[in-house]
């Protein structure tokens, strides 16, 4: 047995050498400086390098391994004075023996909105995606998808007008899908799902949305729960209660969760603001806000300086919504107070006053299951340090139960606590008012802009 291993070890280097001779030596990854020098050498005279609007590259040079061989290519976009309505694409590739290959392309458009290199068809190389805009109407946006741009026989897989586009794995097959929004019937947007099949990029499904182009700027791919990926469509203009569009793929068809989620009590009275993975756990949360008033008629839209309660919400596999976090932010004195879970969706803010000299915020707990008026559970006050001595004197004169939480950056943060002995016995046992230790833990001072 040892003799067989020895023979294998003896001939293995020879086998590897023979394979390198047969298939060609692997090309080492060129340095950044090498790529930059070759770009300057081959860039047309008088051409000016440009950047995509929604993506930035160091020195306006994109370094990307297009054919997935371990060696990066250099990609640069440029404009020439003689062709103002065209965008040039220059690709530099290092070949065997230290030689370099140049590939040059031209795309119609006044400027470049976005670029991507994605494996959409399942081949070993990347496709080039160019999103261009033509003037005078910046709404005239086109997306073009090319097969491997290094190939002399590259093909145009798709050229289509679009409003927004994003890429991700919607069906979990480890291949990149493309979801494209375009203007459809009666100025409404239509979502199309494109997937690769047999070296083609095909539209597998489409869905009409009740959204207008002015309401949407971009799309976001992200994890909806542990198993599902979704396309989140944040509204960029016009806040609406319960208005959210989240697209999933079920049995090969696009499905909008809006009809299901917008009826949930935790969402329908809130303004949907956006989507973000706040816990950095890979799952996207919904950011919603609501007016925290009790016994007052809510305005159709929040007032400019109105304090709102922020809610971060997740959707589970059964399309049930779960509050992950809830907080209130003082925009002037730069702090955020996170609610304990027992307060979720049961807090109202009243008698809130925020001005340059001070901030006073009163938090009241109200549960519809108890036939009692809202209970004062916490007051959060912030004073300028020079005003605190007089404020402290006033607190003591009227018998306010208060504690100083912290002093920082010339400000004094104070908690006012309720007299729980006057509460009903059942509510006293629930320990609704936080302790000073909890307040310290839940209060976060924010960096000033």
């Amino acid at each position: 047995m040892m003799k067989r291993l020895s023979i294998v070890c003896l001939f293995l280097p020879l086998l590897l050498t023979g394979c390198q001779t047969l298939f060609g030596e692997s090309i080492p990854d060129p340095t950044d400086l090498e790529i930059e020098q070759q770009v300057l050498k081959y860039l047309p005279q008088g051409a000016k390098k440009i950047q995509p609007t929604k993506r930035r590259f160091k020195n306006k040079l994109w370094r990307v391994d297009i054919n997935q061989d371990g060696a990066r290519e250099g990609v640069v976009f440029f404009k020439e004075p003689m062709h103002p309505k065209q965008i040039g694409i220059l690709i530099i590739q290092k070949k065997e023996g230290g030689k370099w290959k140049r590939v040059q392309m031209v795309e119609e458009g006044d400027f470049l909105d976005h670029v991507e290199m994605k494996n959409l068809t399942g081949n070993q190389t990347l496709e080039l995606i160019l999103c261009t805009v033509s003037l005078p109407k910046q709404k005239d946006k086109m997306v073009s998808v090319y097969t491997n741009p290094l190939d002399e026989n590259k093909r145009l897989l798709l050229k289509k007008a679009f409003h927004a586009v994003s890429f991700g794995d919607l069906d979990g097959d480890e291949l990149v899908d493309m979801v494209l929004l375009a203007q459809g019937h009666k100025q409404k947007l239509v979502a199309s799902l494109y997937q690769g099949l047999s070296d083609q990029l095909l539209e597998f499904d489409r869905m009409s949305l009740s959204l207008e182009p002015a309401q949407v700027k971009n799309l976001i791919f992200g994890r909806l729960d542990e198993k599902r990926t979704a396309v989140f469509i944040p509204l960029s203009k016009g806040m609406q209660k319960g208005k959210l569009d989240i697209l999933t793929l079920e049995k090969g068809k696009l499905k909008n969760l809006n009809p299901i989620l917008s009826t949930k009590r935790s969402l329908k009275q809130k303004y949907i603001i956006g989507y973000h993975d706040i816990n950095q756990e890979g799952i996207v949360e919904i950011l919603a806000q609501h007016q925290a008033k009790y016994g007052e008629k809510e305005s159709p839209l929040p007032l400019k300086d109105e304090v709102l309660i922020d809610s971060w919400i997740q959707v589970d596999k059964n399309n049930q919504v779960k509050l992950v976090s809830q907080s209130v932010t003082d925009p002037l004195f730069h702090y955020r107070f996170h609610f304990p879970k027992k307060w979720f969706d049961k807090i109202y803010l009243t008698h809130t006053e925020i001005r340059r000299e001070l901030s006073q915020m009163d938090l009241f707990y109200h549960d519809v299951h108890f036939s009692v008026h809202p209970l004062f559970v916490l007051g959060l006050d912030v004073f300028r340090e020079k005003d605190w001595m007089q404020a402290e004197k006033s607190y003591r004169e009227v018998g306010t139960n208060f504690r100083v939480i912290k002093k920082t950056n010339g400000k004094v943060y104070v908690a006012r606590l309720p007299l729980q002995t006057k509460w009903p016995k059942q509510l006293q046992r629930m320990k609704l008012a936080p302790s000073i230790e909890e307040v310290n833990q839940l209060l976060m001072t924010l960096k000033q802009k």
Side-chain angles (χ1 to χ4, degrees), residues 15 26 72 81 110 114-115 179 185 202 210 212 231 289 310 334 353 374-375 381 389 437:
L15 289 170
S26 61
R72 297 170 301 161
D110 286 281
H114 190 60
V115 295
V179 173
H185 185 58
L202 305 176
S210 60
E212 297 178 357
V231 178
Q289 292 181 331
D310 294 334
H334 306 283
E353 183 176 4
L375 295 172
D381 299 344
M389 187 178 294
E437 289 73 21

Side-chain angles (χ1 to χ4, degrees), residues 417-445:
L417 305 174
L419 296 175
Q420 300 178 59
T421 54
K422 296 183 178 180
W423 291 4
K425 295 293 184 182
Q426 185 178 5
L427 296 176
Q428 289 184 37
R429 289 192 293 269
M430 292 174 64
K431 298 181 179 179
L432 296 175
S435 65
I436 288 300
E437 289 73 21
E438 284 183 291
V439 176
N440 272 312
Q441 182 182 3
L442 298 171
L443 183 71
M444 178 190 302
T445 52

Side-chain angles (χ1 to χ4, degrees), residues 255-447:
K255 180 177 181 178
N256 193 345
L257 299 184
N258 179 289
I260 300 172
L261 299 179
S262 60
T263 61
K264 303 294 183 182
R265 182 177 177 272
S266 297
L267 284 173
K268 66 180 181 179
Q269 294 302 318
K270 296 180 174 68
Y271 304 99
I272 307 302
I273 304 300
Y275 309 92
H276 190 67
D277 180 10
I278 58 165
N279 296 326
Q280 301 297 309
E281 296 176 346
I283 295 178
V284 175
E285 284 83 26
I286 303 167
L287 171 59
Q289 292 181 331
H290 69 276
Q291 294 165 294
K293 297 179 179 179
Y294 177 79
E296 299 178 34
K297 185 178 180 181
E298 294 182 351
S299 56
L301 287 174
L303 302 175
K304 182 179 179 181
D305 297 324
E306 184 176 350
V307 176
L308 302 176
I309 291 179
D310 294 334
S311 299
W312 291 96
I313 298 165
Q314 284 183 353
V315 180
D316 67 15
K317 62 181 180 181
N318 298 314
N319 293 329
Q320 298 299 312
V321 297
K322 177 180 68 173
L323 262 174
V324 176
S325 174
Q326 208 164 47
S327 61
V328 63
T329 301
D330 182 329
L332 186 60
F333 280 79
H334 306 283
Y335 76 82
R336 180 179 296 123
F337 184 74
H338 291 269
F339 295 169
K341 287 187 178 181
K342 57 193 173 187
W343 285 8
F344 283 3
D345 273 345
K346 294 181 175 63
I347 290 295
Y348 296 87
L349 307 180
T350 61
H351 309 299
T352 300
E353 183 176 4
I354 299 177
R355 60 178 190 268
R356 194 172 66 178
E357 295 83 9
L358 64 91
S359 169
Q360 291 184 317
M361 191 177 296
D362 293 350
L363 290 83
F364 288 78
Y365 179 94
H366 180 66
D367 192 328
V368 294
H369 297 98
F370 298 108
S371 57
V372 294
H373 290 291
L375 295 172
F376 172 71
V377 288
L378 182 66
L380 290 172
D381 299 344
V382 186
F383 296 88
R384 292 185 301 182
E385 199 162 4
K386 66 177 183 178
D387 299 327
W388 169 237
M389 187 178 294
Q390 182 60 40
E392 182 181 17
K393 181 181 178 181
S394 299
Y395 280 168
R396 295 190 185 284
E397 287 177 351
V398 298
T400 301
N401 182 15
F402 71 93
R403 297 289 187 278
V404 174
I405 307 169
K406 65 174 68 176
K407 295 182 180 181
T408 181
N409 295 326
K411 300 181 182 68
V412 180
Y413 294 80
V414 183
R416 284 180 285 110
L417 305 174
L419 296 175
Q420 300 178 59
T421 54
K422 296 183 178 180
W423 291 4
K425 295 293 184 182
Q426 185 178 5
L427 296 176
Q428 289 184 37
R429 289 192 293 269
M430 292 174 64
K431 298 181 179 179
L432 296 175
S435 65
I436 288 300
E437 289 73 21
E438 284 183 291
V439 176
N440 272 312
Q441 182 182 3
L442 298 171
L443 183 71
M444 178 190 302
T445 52
L446 307 175
K447 290 183 179 179

Side-chain angles (χ1 to χ4, degrees), residues 8-61:
V8 171
C9 291
L10 178 64
F11 284 98
L12 184 58
L14 297 176
L15 289 170
L16 293 174
T17 303
C19 289
Q20 286 183 343
T21 304
L22 182 62
F23 297 107
E25 295 183 3
S26 61
I27 300 170
D29 186 26
T31 65
D32 290 353
L33 181 58
E34 283 182 292
I35 296 175
E36 288 181 25
Q37 289 174 341
Q38 294 301 318
V39 165
L40 292 175
K41 178 180 177 181
Y42 288 109
L43 191 67
Q45 189 174 4
K48 183 179 179 182
K49 291 189 289 184
I50 62 171
Q51 293 267 38
T53 304
K54 295 179 180 176
R55 189 163 185 177
R56 290 290 184 264
F57 305 111
K58 184 180 179 181
N59 298 330
K60 300 181 180 179
L61 176 59

Side-chain angles (χ1 to χ4, degrees), residues 134-349:
S134 297
L135 300 175
K137 294 182 180 179
Q138 294 194 18
K139 295 179 181 179
D140 295 338
K141 299 166 67 175
M142 298 293 295
V143 58
S144 302
V145 182
Y146 293 91
T147 57
N148 179 9
L150 296 173
D151 189 348
E152 294 179 358
N153 299 316
K154 58 181 168 289
R155 294 177 294 113
L156 179 64
L157 295 176
L158 178 72
K159 192 175 185 71
K160 184 177 176 64
F162 80 104
H163 177 73
V165 65
S166 191
F167 305 88
D169 183 7
L170 199 57
D171 55 4
D173 63 356
E174 297 184 358
L175 292 178
V176 178
D177 306 319
M178 181 174 78
V179 173
L180 181 147
L181 294 186
Q183 189 168 300
H185 185 58
K186 293 184 178 179
Q187 306 296 311
K188 299 296 184 181
L189 290 174
V190 175
S192 296
L193 169 65
Y194 287 88
Q195 295 180 319
L197 181 65
S198 301
D199 292 333
Q200 300 292 323
L201 188 61
L202 305 176
E203 185 184 41
F204 271 71
D205 195 25
R206 65 165 55 190
M207 168 180 283
S208 297
L209 305 174
S210 60
L211 297 171
E212 297 178 357
Q215 292 179 292
V216 179
K217 280 189 178 180
N218 64 326
L219 309 174
I220 301 171
F221 264 85
R223 301 291 299 178
L224 182 64
D225 53 43
E226 293 180 355
K227 292 185 178 180
R228 291 184 296 175
T229 297
V231 178
F232 300 83
I233 308 178
L235 290 181
S236 60
K237 197 173 183 181
M239 298 170 66
Q240 298 182 42
K241 285 187 177 179
K243 181 62 177 175
L244 73 169
D245 288 85
I246 301 175
L247 308 183
T248 60
L249 193 64
E250 297 188 14
K251 298 180 180 179
K253 293 289 185 180
L254 289 171
K255 180 177 181 178
N256 193 345
L257 299 184
N258 179 289
I260 300 172
L261 299 179
S262 60
T263 61
K264 303 294 183 182
R265 182 177 177 272
S266 297
L267 284 173
K268 66 180 181 179
Q269 294 302 318
K270 296 180 174 68
Y271 304 99
I272 307 302
I273 304 300
Y275 309 92
H276 190 67
D277 180 10
I278 58 165
N279 296 326
Q280 301 297 309
E281 296 176 346
I283 295 178
V284 175
E285 284 83 26
I286 303 167
L287 171 59
Q289 292 181 331
H290 69 276
Q291 294 165 294
K293 297 179 179 179
Y294 177 79
E296 299 178 34
K297 185 178 180 181
E298 294 182 351
S299 56
L301 287 174
L303 302 175
K304 182 179 179 181
D305 297 324
E306 184 176 350
V307 176
L308 302 176
I309 291 179
D310 294 334
S311 299
W312 291 96
I313 298 165
Q314 284 183 353
V315 180
D316 67 15
K317 62 181 180 181
N318 298 314
N319 293 329
Q320 298 299 312
V321 297
K322 177 180 68 173
L323 262 174
V324 176
S325 174
Q326 208 164 47
S327 61
V328 63
T329 301
D330 182 329
L332 186 60
F333 280 79
H334 306 283
Y335 76 82
R336 180 179 296 123
F337 184 74
H338 291 269
F339 295 169
K341 287 187 178 181
K342 57 193 173 187
W343 285 8
F344 283 3
D345 273 345
K346 294 181 175 63
I347 290 295
Y348 296 87
L349 307 180

